[in-house]
Amino acid sequence: RFDWALRRRCGDGGRGRGNGGGGGGCGGASRSLVGSMDATKGAECVKVVVRCRPPNKKEISENRGGVVTMNCETGYVELANPRQPDSKKGFTFDQVYDQHATQREVYDDTARSLVASCLEGYNATILAYGQTGTGKTYTMEGDAGSFEARGVVPRAIEQIFSHIQEKASSSNRFLVRASYLQIYNDIIYDLLSPENQNLQIREDDKSKENSRGVYVENLSEWVVRSPQEI
């Protein structure tokens, strides 16, 4: 999981704050739960997005056939049972991506607006989950050896710093802090400070002026100045 917190400091002392998070592992079809708050409507929205990866080398060598059919325009997914060709089940999601979808398409359609809402002071989360081997890590992190294969996390970081570069001025300064944690067997580990283990999740009183909301107590935060530093 990768978390970032962005604080915008203005000349009048005002401050906005946004949080975002995404997680990846390895995950047929993997799903993402995308949550955001529309700044104009003031209403929370949760969207479910499905992405189907292409067959891997092992599946190709074993001559396996596909069982997933996706309509990317309507968000409809149909699953076939290899043992019962006439037995099919269909599901409709907010957005679906087939094996030909690019990393850029996935990010621009699904994540870019959420990162933008974070920069406006709203909370947003991108959560990837699915079975092992379905492509969660590739979607969230991408391939470090390919610029075009960058995943959601590096593209989000680039978007944040592009926004800062565009908006920064003598009266408008930004401070970016990064945290990196892992939750395994219900234990929270601080991956940037290995000595910090078994951390606790807390929640601030929402009535407080500078309430942090839900946070991880004693999780280290590091000031970063560029995507390369992260």
Side-chain angles (χ1 to χ4, degrees):
R1 172 171 171 157
F2 180 89
D3 290 315
W4 67 81
L6 175 85
R7 294 182 181 179
R8 176 182 178 186
R9 297 190 175 181
C10 306
D12 60 0
R15 182 170 68 185
R17 177 169 180 163
N19 293 309
C26 288
S30 61
R31 285 189 256 182
S32 293
L33 283 182
V34 181
S36 69
M37 178 175 283
D38 191 308
T40 57
K41 297 179 181 178
E44 292 187 3
C45 176
V46 176
K47 296 182 179 179
V48 181
V49 179
V50 176
R51 186 182 192 184
C52 183
R53 65 161 174 78
N56 57 37
K57 293 180 180 179
K58 183 175 186 294
E59 292 163 345
I60 294 174
S61 66
E62 294 176 351
N63 212 20
R64 297 189 186 182
V67 297
V68 180
T69 303
M70 311 187 91
N71 187 321
C72 299
E73 294 183 359
T74 63
Y76 184 75
V77 178
E78 189 174 72
L79 303 179
N81 186 338
R83 297 183 178 87
Q84 298 177 344
D86 296 331
S87 177
K88 297 181 179 180
K89 291 185 178 181
F91 305 89
T92 301
F93 299 93
D94 294 292
Q95 182 79 42
V96 301
Y97 298 97
D98 61 19
Q99 60 180 329
H100 304 295
T102 65
Q103 295 282 67
R104 177 182 292 275
E105 286 179 74
V106 173
Y107 185 79
D108 288 346
D109 294 346
T110 302
R112 183 173 295 279
S113 61
L114 293 179
V115 176
S117 70
C118 285
L119 295 167
E120 294 174 355
Y122 294 89
N123 294 326
T125 297
I126 302 174
L127 171 65
Y129 71 101
Q131 291 179 319
T132 298
T134 54
K136 299 187 301 299
T137 297
Y138 179 76
T139 295
M140 296 305 296
E141 298 181 9
D143 182 354
S146 170
F147 182 78
E148 283 301 318
R150 301 180 334 278
V152 169
V153 172
R155 290 175 186 270
I157 294 168
E158 292 166 7
Q159 182 179 346
I160 289 172
F161 280 96
S162 293
H163 176 87
I164 291 173
Q165 189 174 21
E166 179 184 343
K167 299 296 183 180
S169 66
S170 57
S171 61
N172 200 20
R173 295 181 299 162
F174 294 82
L175 176 65
V176 180
R177 297 178 180 176
S179 298
Y180 195 57
L181 64 85
Q182 178 184 30
I183 303 176
Y184 183 73
N185 285 342
D186 295 329
I187 298 177
I188 302 176
Y189 299 88
D190 186 340
L191 299 182
L192 298 182
S193 295
E195 66 277 7
N196 288 349
Q197 297 185 14
N198 203 19
L199 303 179
Q200 301 297 313
I201 296 177
R202 308 292 187 192
E203 183 173 10
D204 268 349
D205 185 349
K206 294 182 180 179
S207 63
K208 292 181 179 179
E209 182 179 354
N210 295 318
S211 173
R212 298 176 62 184
V214 177
Y215 67 98
V216 178
E217 187 177 37
N218 296 325
L219 179 66
S220 63
E221 292 184 340
W222 298 77
V223 174
V224 289
R225 299 172 180 82
S226 68
Q228 292 73 26
E229 284 193 8
I230 294 181

